[in-house]
């Protein structure tokens, strides 16, 4: 095998090794394995005239990469010397080296372990057949089924599985329509799916009126615009009564507020066995966070596993620690919890294992934030164009209203008043968003989480931008600065983390924030803690002034020495 790779590297020096291997695989399959055409026709012009879809892909590769007849002749001599075992080794190398599949080998191994051995397995959206190839090598006697709409991926999967000698049946059809699998009333004990995520549906009415083939499980709350849940719904409708499916799903399916009804329907039907929240950068070519949904009939509870730290860092993708993930899935762990379907429906708006675990580990008595506030709101939603136009100072300021803008970059523990920009809208249209003294500011949406306390004069006219949440406590119910201190505490930070959604850009929903519990302690104790905090802040401010003066003294000394 190594000799073959060296010979390939030397021939056609301007081509990538992966491209050469792709062409070699097709040449071998068409002219040697199937013997579809005589080897004398292994020339570019003859191949380009063939109507067969395999030859159409081969011709495209040859033309795009400027492969000529002399190079084809070189490669034909290589193929003549190639044994079946050599080619299987070459094929395995190609599948690893040049695969366009998003699932890594570790993810396929984890999914295969969870599914276990079966007489037949279905890959719903089977792509180039990477998972089926992995599963077939693990369980060689299993029959492999797949469905794939993309022609090149479908043909590649057929070639891959055929050349490895697997018993397989791949359908070149649409996975979210009434395809052959439903027409023939197929059921499977084991199903895997890594479907194309976030496909948007254009013909809403047509698609949702053509779901009569989904007879086993019907859902009233299927989202109308994206197809993620539609793929999953096709999967569960193909499961047998003893079946199990592993679905690679985007994490957003687990927390989008608009999709809680469909999540609740899945729980009501008992279809969710477990959820594994995966580390970031788990897939090739996909940067969004993912999860594994383990689906099966008749579940009364769900196992939730936080595997976000179960990896070793890789250059492009992280490498899953499957042993650790399996240990958490199957045994006792602080990184896993089992909850009843009823609890998940009634008490949680999301299925995020990490958030639910954080929340469950911080169970304590307290009062919900919305019972302690006068107001809780997002800042003013001003688009960039309008914001820039309102920054222009008018000739006559008496005709305009003046506000200063507080964005995420203009506060930390407190507001940086010297960094605020001023806007001049024509009327007092943003008075609703005016910030008051002792309001608490918090990141609503962003890449960096911040909490700040407002300390301003009564006549200041400051408004927050739309990425900032403003919390206005009722001082008669609780000291606002005590609440600020609690939210800044380690426990408060973990609580806030438990309601964060998203990964690189996270979101804190005001509905979730309003339900956050604040520990209630006597007012005298609240005030004492606040007084201590304010005294420490005063000391810090004095020290900062002293440090500034010392810096100025040092620079004056530099000047004196420079003048000698």
């Amino acid at each position: 095998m190594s000799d073959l790779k060296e010979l390939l590297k030397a021939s056609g020096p301007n081509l990538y090794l992966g491209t050469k291997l792709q062409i070699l695989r097709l040449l071998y399959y068409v002219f040697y394995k199937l013997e579809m055409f005589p080897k004398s026709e292994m020339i570019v012009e003859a191949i380009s005239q063939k109507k067969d879809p395999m030859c159409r892909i081969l011709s495209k590769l040859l033309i795009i990469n400027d492969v000529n007849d002399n190079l084809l002749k070189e490669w034909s001599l290589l193929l003549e010397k190639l044994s079946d075992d050599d080619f299987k080794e070459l094929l395995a190398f190609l599948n690893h080296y040049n695969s366009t599949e998003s699932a890594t080998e570790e993810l396929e191994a984890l999914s295969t372990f969870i599914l276990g051995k079966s007489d037949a397995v279905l890959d719903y959206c089977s792509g180039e057949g990477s998972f089926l190839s992995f599963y077939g090598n693990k369980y060689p006697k299993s029959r492999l089924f797949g469905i794939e709409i993309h022609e090149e991926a479908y043909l590649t999967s057929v070639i891959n599985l055929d050349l490895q000698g697997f018993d397989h049946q791949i359908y070149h059809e649409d996975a979210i329509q009434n395809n052959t699998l439903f027409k023939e009333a197929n059921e499977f004990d084991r199903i895997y799916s890594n479907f194309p995520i976030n496909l948007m549906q254009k013909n809403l009415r047509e698609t949702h009126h053509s779901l009569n083939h989904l007879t086993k499980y019907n859902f009233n709350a299927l989202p109308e615009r994206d197809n993620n849940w539609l793929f999953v719904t096709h999967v569960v409708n193909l499961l047998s009564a003893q079946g199990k499916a592993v679905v690679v799903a985007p994490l957003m399916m687990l927390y989008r507020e608009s999709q809680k009804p469909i999540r609740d329907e899945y729980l009501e039907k008992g279809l969710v066995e477990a959820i594994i929240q995966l580390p970031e950068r788990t897939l090739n070519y996909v940067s969004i966070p993912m999860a594994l949904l383990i689906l099966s009939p008749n579940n009364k509870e769900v196992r939730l596993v936080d595997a976000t730290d179960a990896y070793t860092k890789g250059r492009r993708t992280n490498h899953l620690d499957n042993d650790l993930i399996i240990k958490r899935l199957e045994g006792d762990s602080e990184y896993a919890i089992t909850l009843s379907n009823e609890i998940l429906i009634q008490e949680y708006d999301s299925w995020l294992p990490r958030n639910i675990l954080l929340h469950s580990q911080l169970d304590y008595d307290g009062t919900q934030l919305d019972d302690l506030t006068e107001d809780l709101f997002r800042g003013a939603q001003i688009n960039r164009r309008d914001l820039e136009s309102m920054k222009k100072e008018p000739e006559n300021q008496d005709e305009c209203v003046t506000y200063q803008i507080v964005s995420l970059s203009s506060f930390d523990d407190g507001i940086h008043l010297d960094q605020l920009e001023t806007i001049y809208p024509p009327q007092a249209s943003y008075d609703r968003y005016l910030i008051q003294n002792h309001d608490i500011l918090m990141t609503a949406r962003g890449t960096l989480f911040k909490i700040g306390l407002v300390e301003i004069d009564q006549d200041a006219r400051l408004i927050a931008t739309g990425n900032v949440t403003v919390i206005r406590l009722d001082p008669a119910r609780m000291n606002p600065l005590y609440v600020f201190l609690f939210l800044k505490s380690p426990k408060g930070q973990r609580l806030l983390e438990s309601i964060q959604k998203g990964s690189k850009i996270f979101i804190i929903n005001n509905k979730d924030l309003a339900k956050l519990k604040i520990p209630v302690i006597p007012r005298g104790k609240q005030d004492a803690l606040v007084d201590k905090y304010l005294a420490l802040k005063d000391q810090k401010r004095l020290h900062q002034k002293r440090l500034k003066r010392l810096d100025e003294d040092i620079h004056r000394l530099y000047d004196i020495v420079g003048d000698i």
Side-chain angles (χ1 to χ4, degrees):
M1 174 63 186
S2 58
D3 292 341
L4 174 64
K5 283 193 286 184
E6 291 306 315
L7 288 169
L8 271 177
K9 285 177 183 177
S11 66
N14 296 325
L15 294 178
Y16 290 114
L17 178 60
T19 302
K20 296 175 188 178
L21 290 169
Q22 275 184 290
I23 294 170
L24 214 64
R25 174 175 58 188
L26 280 161
L27 290 172
Y28 180 84
Y29 189 72
V30 171
F31 289 97
Y32 290 82
K33 181 73 176 177
L34 298 185
E35 297 183 342
M36 294 167 64
F37 308 104
K39 296 180 182 64
S40 60
E41 294 184 11
M42 198 189 295
I43 56 178
V44 176
E45 185 178 355
I47 292 170
S48 65
Q49 292 174 354
K50 306 294 184 190
K51 303 298 183 186
D52 181 82
M54 302 277 186
C55 288
R56 192 165 62 245
I57 295 173
L58 178 55
S59 173
K60 181 180 172 183
L61 280 170
L62 296 176
I63 292 168
I64 288 173
N65 294 288
D66 292 325
V67 175
N68 58 34
D69 292 338
N70 291 332
L71 195 52
L72 280 181
K73 189 173 182 180
E74 276 186 50
W75 290 347
S76 70
L77 293 173
L78 288 176
L79 290 171
E80 292 285 354
K81 301 173 185 176
L82 206 63
S83 69
D84 285 347
D85 287 341
D86 286 337
F87 198 81
K88 283 182 181 178
E89 193 177 343
L90 181 148
L91 189 67
F93 175 79
L94 175 60
N95 288 340
H96 173 73
Y97 180 90
N98 202 51
S99 174
T100 61
E101 299 281 16
S102 63
T104 61
E105 189 171 323
E106 291 123 347
L107 186 58
E108 291 175 343
L110 177 61
S111 301
T112 297
F113 177 87
I114 292 168
L115 290 172
K117 187 177 181 180
S118 179
D119 292 336
V121 65
L122 168 66
D123 184 348
Y124 209 72
C125 304
S126 47
E128 294 182 351
S130 175
F131 172 78
L132 291 175
S133 179
F134 188 96
Y135 192 93
N137 279 294
K138 178 74 174 176
Y139 302 114
K141 293 183 180 179
S142 296
R143 190 156 191 227
L144 311 177
F145 291 83
I147 183 167
E148 176 58 45
I149 193 171
H150 190 268
E151 185 180 48
E152 287 194 26
Y154 158 74
L155 292 171
T156 301
S157 70
V158 170
I159 295 169
N160 277 341
L161 300 172
D162 207 11
L163 289 175
Q164 293 177 86
F166 294 129
D167 182 4
H168 66 89
Q169 175 65 61
I170 311 297
Y171 297 98
H172 182 212
E173 297 182 46
D174 190 341
I176 52 175
Q177 297 293 339
N178 187 14
N179 54 61
T180 301
L181 292 166
F182 289 95
K183 291 172 184 175
E184 295 181 355
N186 282 287
E187 284 189 337
F188 294 88
D189 289 339
R190 297 293 181 265
I191 303 176
Y192 168 86
S193 183
N194 181 15
F195 59 84
I197 59 176
N198 297 340
L199 284 183
M200 301 307 288
Q201 183 55 252
K202 294 180 181 178
N203 300 318
L204 305 180
R205 193 168 298 170
E206 179 184 336
T207 300
H208 284 275
H209 278 292
S210 61
L211 300 182
N212 295 331
H213 56 287
L214 303 178
T215 56
K216 192 175 292 186
Y217 300 107
N218 291 301
F219 297 89
N220 297 317
L222 271 176
E224 289 194 337
R225 291 219 58 196
D226 77 64
N227 283 328
N228 293 336
W229 283 104
L230 193 56
F231 280 109
V232 179
T233 298
H234 278 75
V235 167
V236 295
N237 271 276
L238 288 166
L239 274 179
S240 68
Q242 299 78 36
K244 180 179 289 191
V246 172
V247 176
V248 184
L251 202 66
M252 64 188 73
M253 291 177 66
L254 309 189
Y255 66 76
R256 274 187 173 166
E257 188 176 359
S258 61
Q259 295 181 7
K260 177 169 170 56
I262 184 68
R263 292 195 293 269
D264 287 351
E265 277 196 89
Y266 266 76
L267 292 171
E268 288 161 1
K269 295 182 191 311
L271 289 168
V272 186
E273 180 180 322
I275 300 165
I276 302 174
Q277 188 171 344
L278 296 171
E280 61 179 10
R281 296 196 301 118
T282 297
L283 301 185
N284 298 313
Y285 321 115
V286 179
S287 60
I288 66 173
M290 306 295 287
L292 286 187
L293 302 181
I294 303 173
L295 307 170
S296 58
N298 305 317
N299 295 287
K300 294 183 178 179
E301 56 188 22
V302 180
R303 181 72 167 171
L304 297 131
V305 179
D306 174 16
T308 53
D309 66 333
Y311 69 95
T312 54
K313 195 172 180 63
R315 189 164 66 91
R316 289 192 180 130
T317 57
N318 292 323
H319 305 292
L320 294 177
D321 185 341
N322 284 348
D323 290 339
L324 182 56
I325 294 172
I326 291 162
K327 184 179 177 182
R328 291 177 182 179
L329 178 65
E330 295 182 338
D332 293 332
S333 171
E334 62 180 309
Y335 293 91
I337 189 171
T338 302
L339 296 176
S340 70
N341 296 347
E342 290 78 10
I343 291 290
L344 272 174
I345 291 170
Q346 293 167 14
E347 297 187 15
Y348 294 96
D349 291 330
S350 81
W351 287 356
L352 293 171
R354 179 173 174 77
N355 293 33
I356 291 170
L357 279 159
L358 280 167
H359 189 270
S360 66
Q361 290 162 6
L362 292 165
D363 192 23
Y364 60 93
D365 291 331
T367 300
Q368 288 192 168
L369 188 60
D370 61 350
D371 290 330
L372 302 171
T373 57
E374 291 181 353
D375 205 352
L376 193 158
F377 59 92
R378 288 279 290 269
Q381 302 286 344
I382 310 172
N383 65 54
R384 185 172 295 179
R385 181 184 296 177
D386 290 344
L387 187 61
E388 291 303 317
S389 68
M390 287 188 286
K391 287 179 185 177
K392 296 174 183 175
E393 191 170 344
E395 293 181 7
N396 185 358
Q397 291 194 17
D398 293 336
E399 296 178 358
C400 293
V401 180
T402 302
Y403 299 98
Q404 286 184 294
I405 294 288
V406 180
S407 63
L408 288 175
S409 61
S410 53
F411 74 90
D412 290 299
D413 281 359
I415 297 175
H416 307 302
L417 294 172
D418 58 332
Q419 297 179 10
L420 302 183
E421 292 186 292
T422 302
I423 61 171
Y424 306 90
Q427 53 188 350
S429 48
Y430 298 109
D431 278 9
R432 161 72 181 87
Y433 303 100
L434 282 170
I435 296 169
Q436 297 179 13
N437 191 41
H438 288 172
D439 282 349
I440 298 171
L441 306 182
M442 183 183 298
T443 305
R445 185 178 189 277
T447 57
L448 183 64
F449 184 69
K450 292 183 175 184
I451 302 176
L453 180 69
V454 177
E455 293 177 289
I456 55 174
D457 296 331
Q458 190 172 357
D459 58 351
R461 293 182 60 79
L462 276 60
I463 61 170
T465 59
N467 286 342
V468 178
T469 291
V470 180
I471 305 170
R472 183 165 300 149
L473 276 300
D474 181 351
R477 299 179 191 176
M478 190 166 281
N479 191 320
L481 275 73
Y482 163 71
V483 176
F484 169 73
L485 292 176
F486 173 73
L487 294 176
K488 294 284 285 186
S489 72
K491 181 186 279 189
Q493 294 288 292
R494 289 198 300 275
L495 272 172
L496 290 167
E497 188 181 348
S498 76
I499 61 172
Q500 287 180 16
K501 295 166 184 175
S503 178
K504 293 180 180 177
I505 297 177
F506 64 84
I507 298 166
I508 292 186
N509 188 295
N510 281 0
K511 182 180 175 184
D512 296 329
L513 184 60
K515 294 179 183 177
L516 212 66
K517 288 182 181 179
I518 306 297
V520 178
I521 60 175
R523 185 60 182 249
K525 193 173 181 181
Q526 292 178 37
D527 295 343
L529 289 168
V530 168
D531 288 343
K532 187 171 184 179
Y533 166 72
L534 293 174
L536 289 169
K537 274 194 72 178
D538 287 340
Q539 289 182 40
K540 180 181 176 182
R541 206 173 285 119
L542 286 171
H543 284 299
Q544 285 171 336
K545 286 181 179 178
R546 289 180 62 193
L547 284 171
K548 186 179 178 182
R549 285 197 298 270
L550 287 170
D551 278 338
E552 289 169 352
D553 289 344
I554 289 169
H555 280 88
R556 275 195 291 271
L557 182 61
Y558 291 156
D559 293 337
I560 292 169
V561 173
D563 291 336
I564 294 174

